[in-house]
Amino acid sequence: MANQSTIKIPVAISAGIHIGAIVILVIGVSFDDKPKTMPSAPSAPAIQAVMVDQQKITQHVEKLKQQKQDTENKEKARQAELERKANEARQQREQEQQKIKNLEIERKQKEVETQIANDAAKAAQIKVQQEKERANKAEAVRKQKEQEQKASEQAAQKAAEKRKQEEAAAKQAADERKRKAEEDERKRKLEEDRQRKAKADADAKARQEQEMTDALAAEQATLSQTRNKQVMSEVDRFKAMIIATIQRNLVVDESMRGKSCRVFIRLAQDGFVTSSQTLDGDQVVCRAAKAAINKAGRLPVSTEAGVYDKLKEINLTVSPEFN
């Protein structure tokens, strides 16, 4: 029995020393804090206490590991959230830049379309003028032929009258009524033919004039529609620039997130804000929007009269942006 006790004591002491060293390594305790002299061998009750405390030490070590893991997980989640917000802000800036580029491309495209429409209108006017000149020439030829025909008819008439006078010298009294009736009938037919021809010529000319008028009206309508589209595109572009200017001067805080304010602005021709007022929306956002407008003082505006007329009095919705 004495030998067994003697063996158990060194084994317990060795186990306790190894367990203590493991715990110190886990919780980061330095060996320098330990006393240089080794403790005396514990008694049997002390060995039992060391073995009992081993479970508590193991549980404490596991708890410390779990706390460390939870801290690392929270830090990773915080870093991920910061990175997500940074990506969202970058994407929003890129979208705004792309929107401005698209508006500029659309403006240049509208300029090209306007130039094409102007060229088409000029070509149509030239075509109308050419058609008019051809119609005038055709009318002149018709009148000349009509005069020639009348001259020929008059010559033929004179010859017939002379011949009839020579032939009807002996029967002048009897044939006078017949000749007169025939003459009247011929004149009536000639008049009818002349009227039918004049009516046909007038109808043809009227149709040509109407076709030219319709073509010119269609060209003018196309040009007007193109111009209206260009003006509205410019108005949208300047509205986006005005909102961007207000956003740059807008002081925001977290309480304004997801809220907005509708404002009315009156502008001079040089973009100077002559008056502004809030219409409806969140009071905090409205006060910030009013201050941003006053701080800007002058907003982007077009020098083109048609665009300025649609910008001089505008209603806008201001929504705070968060990076």
Side-chain angles (χ1 to χ4, degrees), residues 64-100:
L64 292 175
K65 287 182 180 180
Q66 185 62 38
Q67 289 177 350
K68 183 179 179 181
Q69 184 64 37
D70 292 343
T71 302
E72 291 177 353
N73 290 338
K74 289 180 180 180
E75 179 62 21
K76 288 180 180 179
R78 188 181 70 83
Q79 293 292 337
E81 179 64 15
L82 291 175
E83 184 176 355
R84 183 186 67 78
K85 290 182 178 180
N87 289 334
E88 287 180 355
R90 184 179 65 255
Q91 290 176 359
Q92 188 173 7
R93 288 193 300 271
E94 291 175 354
Q95 290 174 357
E96 289 296 330
Q97 292 174 357
Q98 186 62 38
K99 184 176 180 181
I100 293 174

Side-chain angles (χ1 to χ4, degrees), residues 221-240:
T222 301
L223 183 60
S224 177
Q225 291 176 357
T226 302
R227 176 59 182 164
N228 289 337
K229 289 181 180 179
Q230 182 184 13
V231 169
M232 293 309 299
S233 176
E234 284 295 290
V235 169
D236 292 340
R237 185 171 72 89
F238 275 95
K239 279 186 177 180

Side-chain angles (χ1 to χ4, degrees), residues 78-314:
R78 188 181 70 83
Q79 293 292 337
E81 179 64 15
L82 291 175
E83 184 176 355
R84 183 186 67 78
K85 290 182 178 180
N87 289 334
E88 287 180 355
R90 184 179 65 255
Q91 290 176 359
Q92 188 173 7
R93 288 193 300 271
E94 291 175 354
Q95 290 174 357
E96 289 296 330
Q97 292 174 357
Q98 186 62 38
K99 184 176 180 181
I100 293 174
K101 290 180 180 179
N102 291 340
L103 288 173
E104 181 63 18
I105 292 172
E106 185 177 354
R107 183 187 67 79
K108 291 182 178 179
Q109 184 178 359
K110 294 302 181 182
E111 288 180 353
V112 173
E113 292 177 354
T114 301
Q115 184 61 40
I116 292 174
N118 291 336
D119 294 340
K122 290 180 180 178
Q125 290 177 351
I126 293 173
K127 183 177 180 181
V128 169
Q129 185 63 30
Q130 291 175 347
E131 292 293 336
K132 187 175 181 180
E133 291 177 355
R134 283 196 291 269
N136 292 336
K137 289 181 180 179
E139 180 66 13
V141 171
R142 185 191 65 78
K143 289 181 178 180
Q144 183 177 0
K145 288 183 177 180
E146 188 178 68
Q147 290 176 354
E148 291 175 353
Q149 183 178 359
K150 287 182 178 180
S152 177
E153 289 175 353
Q154 289 175 356
Q157 182 180 354
K158 289 179 180 180
E161 290 176 353
K162 183 177 180 181
R163 185 176 61 253
K164 286 180 180 180
Q165 288 175 358
E166 292 175 350
E167 292 176 352
K171 320 185 272 189
Q172 183 174 359
D175 296 339
E176 183 64 24
R177 288 190 299 271
K178 183 179 179 179
R179 186 195 66 77
K180 188 176 184 303
E182 291 176 351
E183 182 67 15
D184 291 341
E185 181 65 17
R186 186 183 65 80
K187 288 182 178 180
R188 185 183 65 79
K189 290 182 179 180
L190 288 175
E191 181 63 20
E192 289 178 354
D193 292 340
R194 186 189 67 77
Q195 290 178 356
R196 282 195 297 270
K197 187 174 181 180
K199 186 177 183 301
D201 292 340
D203 291 342
K205 184 177 180 180
R207 283 195 299 272
Q208 289 179 350
E209 291 178 352
Q210 185 62 41
E211 289 174 356
M212 289 187 290
T213 301
D214 293 342
L216 183 59
E219 292 296 332
Q220 291 294 334
T222 301
L223 183 60
S224 177
Q225 291 176 357
T226 302
R227 176 59 182 164
N228 289 337
K229 289 181 180 179
Q230 182 184 13
V231 169
M232 293 309 299
S233 176
E234 284 295 290
V235 169
D236 292 340
R237 185 171 72 89
F238 275 95
K239 279 186 177 180
M241 293 170 64
I242 290 172
I243 292 175
T245 301
I246 295 173
Q247 289 287 356
R248 285 196 300 271
N249 292 277
L250 189 66
V251 178
V252 300
D253 57 50
E254 191 62 29
S255 66
M256 298 162 62
R257 184 180 293 275
K259 299 176 182 179
S260 63
C261 177
R262 199 162 61 93
V263 297
F264 169 79
I265 304 174
R266 182 177 287 111
L267 300 173
Q269 290 185 347
D270 61 351
F272 181 77
V273 179
T274 59
S275 65
S276 65
Q277 65 183 67
T278 58
L279 301 177
D280 56 67
D282 182 74
Q283 293 183 357
V284 176
V285 177
C286 287
R287 284 196 297 270
K290 180 81 171 180
I293 294 170
N294 293 335
K295 182 178 179 182
R298 194 182 303 275
L299 298 174
V301 70
S302 176
T303 57
E304 188 174 347
V307 179
Y308 168 72
D309 286 341
K310 295 184 180 297
L311 290 173
K312 62 183 180 181
E313 292 184 352
I314 56 174

